Amino acid sequence: MTSRPSGAALRRAGPPILHGFRLFFLTASIWAVLAMAIWVPLLRGIFTLPGGLGPIDWHAHEMVFGYVFAVVAGFLLTAVPNWTGRLPLTGRPIAVLGLLWLAGRIAMASAGLAGTTGPWIAAGVDLVFPLVLALAIGREILAARNQRNLKVLVLLALLIAADAGFHAALILEADTRPWLRAGLGVTLLLIMLVGGRIVPSFTRNWLAKQPGTGPLPVPFNRVDAVCMAVAAVALALWAILPEAPVTAWAALVAGLLHLVRLSRWAGWRTGGEALVLVLHLAYAFVPIGFLAVALSVLLPGSLTPQAALHAWSAGAVGLMTLAVMSRAALGHGGLPLTAGPAARMAYVCLTIATLARIAAGSSLAGDLTMPLTDLAAACWIAGFLIFVIGYRRVLTGRSARA
């Protein structure tokens, strides 16, 4: 029998940055800045992508799949070893995964017009990374006989399927939007699943150390399962029939249920620590998004579908992933679990970005639609740039307080 490598041996397995959370949280955050900075001039026609892919398709894909897959990789490559008790992947395998992710971003920027081989090549290159990631994660879960966490692998497979569907639509010159909505919907289910575990758990841990008494978060139970089941139905309807009345009513029920779910986690008691409070704030955009979908259909003209979409993509996804990345970076860097100035500023910027983008899609925006959209883009860039600068030492392995 071979002996388990020591901690010292693991530290010698490549540079410190070649650990899942470090490499992929850093690259995801840098890409969040670059992709938004590229999209703004693309939208205004200042320049076009080399392959001719439309700015909306490129922007949506790179946020829903490019950014999200990087964050998911960083999270799973760090969480799965904790779930399974197996050693984490480090060194060369992480470097290979990073290069595959980068190749996907380059391929999407030069994805060629329909009728050429460009979309085929882009599809092949872009899908390699998530497929290899899924195989690596699946191998670890199955090797440890950790079947209870296979549900995460199922959601990852659905996210890959949505990405494949997007590419098929590009090749066939069909509508890509249902696949983008499906990808965002699966991402939201991941947030509901993982967030439903970590938000009450981290909140309880923090509250247990505070003076005084008060209600504690309710652990995951059947109420949470019902909330997720209703949300899954509503999101499936939204992906296929985004403007149908049945979708609106399902979204309304899902939104109200997730407000109830959020209220069970005692978030109002976490004002003393931004690192915990932001988890509740980010999750709040899940029900806000559902209610915005319902409002956009049931009261036409009150909100655009894009306002509802960005409540989810910028708020629930953007802010929640930023919250998880900042907390994981501190925890795995051996630093105190408290938000420093950089984290707090980044959270504020992302919150403003989300609210500005929702406001830009309201009936009250009027001539302020484009200024509000620009404000949202600027605050998004600023938030992730602050995070990258403030956490650069932690994410490159040179642990220092962020």
Side-chain angles (χ1 to χ4, degrees):
M1 178 182 292
T2 58
S3 61
R4 184 183 179 99
S6 66
L10 284 177
R11 288 193 291 273
R12 291 195 295 269
I17 195 174
L18 293 182
H19 287 251
F21 81 94
R22 290 197 181 107
L23 181 65
F24 285 107
F25 286 174
L26 183 61
T27 53
S29 303
I30 292 173
W31 187 236
V33 173
L34 293 178
M36 189 64 72
I38 292 170
W39 178 71
V40 172
L42 270 180
L43 186 64
R44 284 160 174 73
I46 296 174
F47 68 90
T48 58
L49 294 170
L53 186 63
I56 301 298
D57 275 335
W58 178 82
H59 168 70
H61 180 276
E62 290 307 285
M63 289 292 102
V64 173
F65 299 111
Y67 170 77
V68 167
F69 271 133
V71 176
V72 168
F75 175 78
L76 290 180
L77 289 168
T78 306
V80 167
N82 293 332
W83 299 342
T84 62
R86 291 170 61 83
L87 294 174
L89 293 177
T90 60
R92 186 176 299 176
I94 298 297
V96 171
L97 281 170
L99 290 173
L100 291 176
W101 178 85
L102 179 61
R105 311 290 60 75
I106 295 171
M108 289 308 301
S110 53
L113 298 171
T116 73
T117 58
W120 288 93
I121 295 173
V125 175
D126 181 51
L127 289 170
V128 169
F129 169 73
L131 287 170
V132 172
L133 174 67
L135 288 173
I137 296 301
R139 176 183 178 276
E140 295 300 302
I141 291 176
L142 293 174
R145 299 181 180 180
N146 189 246
Q147 286 85 352
R148 68 184 296 268
N149 285 308
L150 282 175
K151 60 178 76 72
V152 173
L153 193 61
V154 171
L155 289 175
L156 180 58
L158 290 174
L159 193 58
I160 295 170
D163 194 5
F166 171 89
H167 284 291
L170 276 184
I171 293 167
L172 298 173
E173 300 184 70
D175 189 1
T176 59
R177 290 175 297 179
W179 297 105
L180 292 167
R181 289 194 295 269
L184 179 56
V186 174
T187 303
L188 289 168
L189 288 175
L190 273 168
I191 287 173
M192 293 174 206
L193 177 63
V194 177
R197 303 285 185 178
I198 66 173
V199 177
S201 174
F202 292 165
T203 302
R204 177 180 289 270
N205 292 344
W206 184 79
L207 288 175
K209 300 175 184 178
Q210 308 309 308
T213 59
L216 294 174
V218 179
F220 193 98
N221 59 24
R222 291 183 180 179
V223 173
D224 299 89
V226 170
C227 290
M228 287 196 59
V230 174
V233 172
L235 288 169
L237 288 170
W238 178 68
I240 302 168
L241 302 168
E243 299 178 5
V246 64
T247 300
W249 289 110
L252 179 61
V253 174
L256 294 175
L257 284 176
H258 278 271
L259 283 176
V260 172
R261 187 189 197 198
L262 182 62
S263 72
R264 288 155 44 91
W265 295 342
W268 66 89
R269 297 187 60 206
T270 63
E273 178 49 65
L275 199 66
V276 181
L277 177 62
V278 69
L279 295 170
H280 296 264
L281 176 60
Y283 198 92
F285 284 107
V286 171
I288 288 172
F290 278 119
L291 296 177
V293 166
L295 194 61
S296 68
V297 176
L298 299 176
L299 293 177
S302 58
L303 279 179
T304 64
Q306 289 72 27
L309 185 151
H310 285 92
W312 280 331
S313 60
V317 178
L319 189 56
M320 181 62 84
T321 52
L322 181 64
V324 170
M325 288 191 294
S326 56
R327 184 184 183 92
L330 293 174
H332 290 284
L335 300 173
L337 290 177
T338 185
R344 292 195 295 269
M345 289 175 63
Y347 300 157
V348 169
C349 286
L350 260 290
T351 302
I352 294 173
T354 304
L355 295 176
R357 193 62 186 84
I358 295 172
S362 74
S363 59
L364 301 177
D367 294 337
L368 295 176
T369 297
M370 285 311 298
L372 284 169
T373 302
D374 289 340
L375 174 63
C379 288
W380 174 278
I381 291 171
F384 279 100
L385 189 59
I386 290 168
F387 174 73
V388 170
I389 294 172
Y391 279 70
R392 68 191 185 282
R393 295 180 63 85
V394 181
L395 293 176
T396 54
R398 298 175 294 166
S399 295
R401 185 169 180 79

